[in-house]
Amino acid sequence: KHDRLRPAIYRADHGALDLIGDNQLSSLKVPQGLVVVLCQSATRKGCKVVRPGSYATLGRLLNDKVSYIEIRRVRSTAPGSR
């Protein structure tokens, strides 16, 4: 329901996950042009990089266990892009 997070770092230990809730994330949509790093701990342990796509579940490693979210813009690697 909170589908408009901007590129930034969101850490539960800094109160930045208040909209979603610590250990509450269970699905994710990543638009083209972004990549998301999800971690079990706010100190970046148990991480996974999530590429563009729609994910109904985050799997055993991260489902309802996310305490760190980093959203990054990625450059296009299409031919002719800079």
Side-chain angles (χ1 to χ4, degrees):
K1 309 262 189 228
H2 307 285
D3 60 359
R4 296 293 172 188
L5 293 178
R6 293 189 167 99
I9 294 174
Y10 302 89
R11 291 176 54 159
D13 61 341
H14 291 173
L17 288 181
D18 289 348
L19 286 175
I20 298 169
D22 188 21
N23 298 321
Q24 298 296 309
L25 189 66
S26 60
S27 63
L28 183 68
K29 290 181 184 177
V30 181
Q32 291 295 321
L34 297 178
V35 67
V36 178
V37 178
L38 301 175
C39 303
Q40 289 180 348
S41 111
T43 57
R44 295 191 53 141
K45 294 194 177 17
C47 297
K48 179 179 181 176
V49 175
V50 183
R51 305 219 180 272
S54 185
Y55 303 88
T57 181
L58 300 177
R60 284 186 339 170
L61 176 68
L62 292 167
N63 207 56
D64 294 330
K65 298 176 186 173
V66 173
S67 294
Y68 176 100
I69 301 171
E70 182 176 342
I71 303 171
R72 299 184 208 153
R73 293 191 191 281
V74 292
R75 292 183 187 178
S76 173
T77 56
S81 65
R82 292 182 172 204

